[in-house]
Amino acid sequence: MMAVAIGMVVLVAYAPTVAGARVYQCWHDTGHGPSTIKKIDCTKKPHAASVEGCQQKCDKLNKKTECEGMVYIHGPEYWESGKFCCFLKRAIEEESMYPEVHHVTCEALG
């Protein structure tokens, strides 16, 4: 585990996780603002309702477009509009990260 302080924000990076063919670096309790290319409705696609499931959605979308990371929101009570739990991202920039409880931001490393 590695902790990095940026201003008053401390980002904690955990060991990379593997989903499908790519490896991801994830930051827990961290959100990411821009570059969403697709929101996944987890009430209709429950297999995406986990960090690993969201990573797999990014891997699958990456074959068609440039999905380079994702944000997953833990727990249906925290999902955006009560249904969106997985946000696929064109890019993950550390300067665009912010503290957000129940969020996991992951960047594809390969």
Side-chain angles (χ1 to χ4, degrees):
M1 180 173 73
M2 174 179 62
V4 179
I6 301 175
M8 297 299 289
V9 177
V10 176
L11 300 176
V12 178
Y14 290 83
T17 60
V18 177
R22 298 196 295 174
V23 175
Y24 286 81
Q25 178 70 51
C26 297
W27 295 265
H28 293 260
D29 291 327
T30 304
H32 186 274
S35 56
T36 297
I37 53 178
K38 187 171 185 177
K39 295 180 183 183
I40 306 296
D41 181 342
C42 290
T43 63
K44 293 181 180 176
K45 299 185 186 293
H47 54 280
S50 69
V51 172
E52 294 80 11
C54 192
Q55 289 171 344
Q56 289 171 0
K57 286 290 189 185
C58 185
D59 289 345
K60 186 175 180 180
L61 185 66
N62 192 52
K63 294 175 183 173
K64 299 176 188 173
T65 185
E66 296 296 319
C67 183
E68 294 300 329
M70 43 63 64
V71 174
Y72 172 71
I73 303 174
H74 288 284
E77 65 273 21
Y78 302 108
W79 293 353
E80 183 181 292
S81 302
K83 60 183 180 179
F84 297 111
C85 72
C86 177
F87 300 81
L88 306 181
K89 303 286 186 168
R90 185 174 322 285
I92 299 291
E93 304 92 9
E94 287 193 39
E95 61 273 6
S96 297
M97 292 181 185
Y98 54 88
E100 186 72 47
V101 177
H102 306 293
H103 286 58
V104 178
T105 296
C106 297
E107 178 179 24
L109 300 178

